[in-house]
Amino acid sequence: MPRHERPFTTAAAAEKARILAEALPYIQRFHGKTIVVKFGGNAMTDEELKAGFARDVCCSSSSA
């Protein structure tokens, strides 16, 4: 089952919360700045990586 179709468990939610808490200082520091993200290599050929990249970028841009 692809990662984006897996059920969202409590453990997964806790891990996501931990990652976001760790990233918060960087999110605050770069809020309102233009960020350039390179997309290439394996991420372009693996459907699961493409979906993960798109999800992460959307998550990042929607929190602005």
Side-chain angles (χ1 to χ4, degrees):
M1 173 183 311
R3 183 175 174 187
H4 66 279
E5 292 178 7
R6 294 180 192 153
F8 198 67
T9 64
T10 302
E15 176 67 5
K16 187 162 284 221
R18 184 193 66 75
I19 291 168
L20 288 173
E22 185 178 318
L24 184 59
Y26 300 98
I27 294 169
Q28 291 171 327
R29 179 176 176 190
F30 294 107
H31 178 75
K33 304 284 193 259
T34 299
I35 306 294
V36 177
V37 180
K38 179 188 177 290
F39 180 75
N42 286 338
M44 294 179 71
T45 60
D46 183 301
E47 292 303 318
E48 190 171 338
L49 292 175
K50 281 184 197 178
F53 176 83
R55 182 181 54 249
D56 291 346
V57 169
C58 288
C59 179
S60 298
S61 64
S62 66
S63 61

